[in-house]
């Protein structure tokens, strides 16, 4: 997708601090971290949001969650706990319209 920053990361056109990759997903550190651990997990292919991934390619949606769980283990937060967030649409706080999961962990996260 032209002008999509996460497509540019997936193609290698712009750099990212990669922490994991699979055939269908990539994980890299957020440029502006909101927690001690803040990693983004994306599908390599462009979808506008997580719901669109699940509708079109449920295996890739599941792979995003599995990749996130693997990153949590690698970061040492699988046991202490972590949060997965998928902001969807402008009203949900989404600013990059390529599907992604935020993996947040570290010091205790605030409740809702
Ligand atoms: P959202 O607001 O849910 O769409 O989240 C988009 C996230 O992408 C934000 O937390 C940004 O800090 C992050 N972000 C934007 N551009 C980049 C980039 N080039 N590399 C890493 N993270 C980025
Ligand atoms: Zn994209």
């Amino acid at each position: 997708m032209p002008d999509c920053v996460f497509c540019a990361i997936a193609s290698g056109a712009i750099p990212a601090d990669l922490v994991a990759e699979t055939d269908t997903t990539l994980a890299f550190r957020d440029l502006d971290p909101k927690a001690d651990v803040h990693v983004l997990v994306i599908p390599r292919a462009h979808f506008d949001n997580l719901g669109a991934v699940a509708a079109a390619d449920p295996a890739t949606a599941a792979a995003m969650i599995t990749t996130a769980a693997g990153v949590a283990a690698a970061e040492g937060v699988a046991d202490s706990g972590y949060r997965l967030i998928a902001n969807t649409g402008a009203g949900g706080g989404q600013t990059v319209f390529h599907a992604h999961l935020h993996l947040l962990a570290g010091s205790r996260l605030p409740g809702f």
Side-chain angles (χ1 to χ4, degrees):
M1 180 72 73
D3 301 328
C4 173
V5 65
F6 290 174
C7 281
I9 289 173
S11 72
I14 68 168
D17 186 0
L18 290 182
V19 295
E21 53 184 322
T22 72
D23 286 353
T24 57
T25 68
L26 279 181
F28 52 90
R29 296 192 194 283
D30 196 292
L31 266 186
D32 181 18
K34 316 295 191 301
D36 297 335
V37 175
H38 189 172
V39 170
L40 301 174
V41 179
I42 68 167
R44 288 183 184 273
H46 183 94
F47 298 92
D48 289 348
N49 57 56
L50 184 62
V53 181
D57 186 351
T60 294
M64 290 171 65
I65 298 171
T66 304
T67 297
V71 171
E75 296 286 320
V77 298
D79 292 336
S80 52
Y82 59 93
R83 181 175 293 169
L84 299 180
I85 295 177
N87 296 329
T88 302
Q94 188 175 5
T95 59
V96 176
F97 291 86
H98 179 127
H100 54 281
L101 285 172
H102 294 260
L103 164 59
L104 299 165
S107 54
R108 192 172 176 83
L109 297 168
F112 289 102

